[in-house]
Amino acid sequence: MISKVPRLLFWTLRSVRFAAGAAGSSCPQIPWAPPEVGRGSLFSGAVMAVQGSSPLRADSQRLEAEEEQEEKAGIGGKVQPPPASKQLSRQTASSKSKPSVKMKRKRLAGKGTEEDSTIMKKKKSQDRPNYFISVPITNPQIIDGIQTLQNTIIQKDNRLSKAMIHYGTFHVTLLVMHLSNEEAISNGVGAFLESGGLIEELLQGKPLNLSFQGIDHFRNQIGFVKLTESDNTTMLLKIAEIVKKMFQEKGIIIVDDKVLKPHLTFMKLSKSPKLQKQGVKRIDSSMFANFKNHYFGDELMNRLDLCSMLKKKQPNGYYHCESSVIVGKKIHFLILSMLSNHAE
């Protein structure tokens, strides 16, 4: 609208001059005066030039007033920026809204992390053994020989007394597994009992004699009495394989799937974590060098046990037993179930 104002003034002045020329001497010729700088002074010059015409003066005043209103509203010019206080309030509002999004993302990320850690913990607990198949050691000769060995070591380093295995728990482990609840335990007992018939068929009623001689260690962390290699040892490995296969068919998690090396543990450093703080980080094999080839005795295997690693032990020091299978008899097999819930 502003661009049309000079044209309007031009045609207005032209029409006034034309009218004055036509009228001759009746209307004096209006001398032209150069306009001042600015649109406002141009309007004022035009008004002075047409003082004799009141409608023109009113139009020019109206146009000037409209132009001032348009300049105030920002039409035809640059948009005026908002006050500094409003800009500050907008920036503050935007800055407050952004962290909320970040916090929300962090919460979601934290939720995912918690879920992942829960899954990892659950998986880790499933990998941790809590039950095992045991061949208990009951021969007094073997037990006395191991106690003599333990006392010899303790005399050389009293701190190692905390690493010794109690004589009531002496055994040979055939298989380790994870049973998560009572249903899994019941399933494990069923698999164990079913394996009893297959074990008896393998032994054909003959007893299995296990001979123990010499000592060794695993990575200077576990000390054990060695099982003499013989046909009976091979038969023991076959028995372990029968039980393992039966448990796997029942869907039971077998934790340690390594090659079995039957042994009789008499000490282990992990039994007492405080030993690490006391500076005992490994077993010195020189402390039991005199027993390196010592003969401890024979164990006539007549029983296998399904034992718990975590439940309270029996008064004689042996592990809590869920079920036992008697082997080496001329009768097919005799099974003793010791489930505490069924006993009640």
Side-chain angles (χ1 to χ4, degrees):
M1 181 176 180
I2 295 174
S3 60
K4 295 181 179 181
V5 173
R7 293 183 180 179
L8 179 61
L9 292 174
F10 173 77
W11 288 108
T12 302
L13 293 173
R14 184 176 180 182
S15 61
V16 170
R17 289 179 180 177
F18 178 79
S25 57
S26 61
C27 185
Q29 188 173 1
I30 301 173
W32 181 83
E36 298 179 4
V37 180
R39 293 182 181 178
S41 49
L42 180 61
F43 273 114
S44 61
V47 172
M48 290 176 62
V50 290
Q51 288 180 356
S53 178
S54 58
L56 269 176
R57 184 185 302 171
D59 290 340
S60 64
Q61 290 177 352
R62 179 177 54 80
L63 290 174
E64 186 176 4
E66 288 178 0
E67 184 180 13
E68 289 177 358
Q69 290 178 0
E70 289 172 354
E71 286 180 353
K72 289 180 181 181
I75 302 176
K78 293 183 179 179
V79 178
Q80 297 295 326
S85 59
K86 291 186 178 180
Q87 289 183 355
L88 182 61
S89 62
R90 289 178 184 176
Q91 291 177 359
T92 305
S94 62
S95 63
K96 287 182 179 179
S97 61
K98 289 180 181 178
S100 64
V101 176
K102 292 182 179 178
M103 288 296 292
K104 189 174 182 181
R105 289 177 181 174
K106 286 182 179 179
R107 288 172 185 171
L108 291 174
K111 187 177 180 181
T113 305
E114 289 176 2
E115 291 177 354
D116 294 341
S117 62
T118 304
I119 294 172
M120 290 298 293
K121 287 179 181 179
K122 187 176 181 181
K123 186 177 180 182
K124 188 175 181 180
S125 65
Q126 290 178 349
D127 294 339
R128 186 177 301 165
N130 58 354
Y131 278 86
F132 65 100
I133 302 299
S134 166
V135 179
I137 303 300
T138 58
N139 185 351
Q141 180 185 355
I142 298 175
I143 294 174
D144 291 343
I146 294 176
Q147 285 184 308
T148 302
L149 168 63
Q150 290 175 329
N151 291 332
T152 301
I153 297 173
I154 294 172
Q155 287 175 2
K156 296 180 179 179
D157 191 342
N158 186 54
R159 296 175 298 176
L160 293 174
S161 61
K162 298 177 181 179
M164 298 302 168
I165 304 299
H166 188 269
Y167 69 90
T169 61
F170 290 158
H171 70 280
V172 175
T173 301
L174 297 186
L175 190 68
V176 293
M177 68 209 71
H178 179 82
L179 303 176
S180 57
N181 49 42
E182 290 300 324
E183 183 180 355
I185 294 172
S186 179
N187 190 25
V189 170
F192 185 47
L193 298 183
E194 288 185 36
S195 66
L198 300 175
I199 294 171
E200 190 61 30
E201 289 179 7
L202 177 66
L203 295 176
Q204 296 180 352
K206 297 177 182 179
L208 189 65
N209 191 56
L210 304 176
S211 182
F212 294 90
Q213 183 175 4
I215 55 177
D216 203 349
H217 60 84
F218 292 129
R219 301 181 302 278
N220 294 98
Q221 298 296 309
I222 299 174
F224 62 89
V225 178
K226 294 192 294 184
L227 182 62
T228 304
E229 294 185 6
S230 63
D231 292 341
N232 287 343
T233 307
T234 304
M235 189 68 71
L236 184 65
L237 294 175
K238 290 181 179 179
I239 291 173
E241 192 62 30
I242 288 173
V243 179
K244 178 181 177 181
K245 185 177 180 181
M246 185 62 68
F247 273 67
Q248 287 177 332
E249 288 178 356
K250 297 292 183 178
I252 296 172
I253 300 173
I254 305 300
V255 177
D256 191 356
D257 203 19
K258 299 177 183 177
V259 177
L260 177 64
K261 183 180 180 179
H263 60 277
L264 200 172
T265 301
F266 66 86
M267 70 176 295
K268 56 181 178 181
L269 297 183
S270 61
K271 192 172 182 292
S272 178
K274 292 182 179 180
L275 290 174
Q276 291 280 343
K277 297 179 180 180
Q278 295 174 356
V280 182
K281 298 181 179 180
R282 62 196 307 273
I283 297 173
D284 185 2
S285 59
S286 64
M287 290 190 296
F288 46 76
N290 295 335
F291 293 84
K292 188 173 183 180
N293 297 313
H294 180 77
Y295 172 72
F296 289 89
D298 293 350
E299 177 70 32
L300 188 64
M301 189 186 80
N302 57 14
R303 192 178 89 229
L304 295 175
D305 298 324
L306 174 60
C307 299
S308 171
M309 297 180 183
L310 305 178
K311 291 184 178 180
K312 186 178 180 180
K313 293 180 180 179
Q314 300 179 34
N316 62 358
Y318 191 64
Y319 297 94
H320 173 84
C321 214
E322 297 289 349
S323 183
S324 295
V325 173
I326 305 300
V327 296
K329 302 294 182 182
K330 292 203 173 180
I331 58 172
H332 257 9
F333 61 90
L334 176 64
I335 299 172
L336 298 177
S337 180
M338 299 182 188
L339 283 173
S340 57
N341 55 349
H342 290 302
E344 294 177 357

